[in-house]
Amino acid sequence: MTVSPRSSAPRTVGVLALQGDFREHREMLEGMGHRAIEVRKPAQLEGLDALIIPGGESTTIARLILSNGFQEPLRAFCASGRPTWGTCAGAILLAKEVDRLDRPGIETMHIRVRRNAFGRQVDSFEEDLAIEGLEGGPFRAVFIRAPVIERVDPPARAIARLADGTVVAARQGNLLATSFHPELTHDTRLHAYFLTIGAPPGAAK
Ligand SMILES: NC(=O)CC[C@H](N)C(=O)O
């Protein structure tokens, strides 16, 4: 399926605002005409149509998820079928397996992620990606101390790869994980795509 950037009606979209670049996601969503909520308490998840878990420092966000009682509510949100998207650190938190993370994350996507996979020499870079389901040509992806998706197990599937074949985006029903940061570009296509990926409750298991 392909979507155009303006194909969805205004939604109420939460951005987990414990740490990281939640503001950039909120501003992009607002620029698209959606209502964006910075989520700091589990009760705020209730009225949302969709949720973004932003980039930042995954160890810090994982610690704050646990200390703020977010772990079960976030798992329930993923199971509810509402679109849920982790960018960079957010993708690390959605993964069932991570090479090293000293505490549990949300662990709902059947992917294995390796943190800081590009090493010190390549702290950040950009690459044009073909993303399955996205029309309008390549997507300029910004990678910052990015993880890679080392393994994708069904029902998850890879939807974007670097030129060398490395998986950098995956989808599992209503769940989306990207190694890169679309909120740091002016391209709203992936945010628009994300809002279309709702699934029946439990579909993402
Ligand atoms: N931009 C990012 O979100 C970087 C992720 C960070 N390197 C981590 O492992 O948590």
Side-chain angles (χ1 to χ4, degrees), residues 15-29:
V15 186
L16 190 66
L18 299 175
Q19 191 265 336
D21 72 337
F22 50 85
R23 200 175 128 225
E24 287 79 357
H25 276 293
R26 177 173 57 71
E27 288 173 354
M28 180 164 266
L29 291 161

Side-chain angles (χ1 to χ4, degrees), residues 55-59 88-89 92 115-116 144-145 181:
E57 190 51 47
S58 53
T59 50
C88 204
I92 295 166
R115 295 178 59 205
N116 301 318
I144 302 167
R145 292 187 302 109
H181 290 269

Side-chain angles (χ1 to χ4, degrees), residues 14-16 37 39-51 69-77 82:
V15 186
L16 190 66
I37 312 277
V39 174
R40 295 193 172 82
K41 293 286 166 217
Q44 291 175 284
L45 295 170
E46 268 166 36
L48 303 178
D49 297 319
L51 177 71
F70 261 111
Q71 192 182 47
E72 284 311 319
L74 287 171
R75 287 177 174 164
F77 194 92
R82 286 173 281 181

Side-chain angles (χ1 to χ4, degrees), residues 92-109:
I92 295 166
L93 293 163
L94 285 180
K96 279 200 181 275
E97 282 184 53
V98 182
D99 66 330
R100 52 192 169 83
L101 188 66
D102 56 0
R103 46 179 71 75
I106 304 161
E107 300 170 340
T108 52
M109 279 189 84

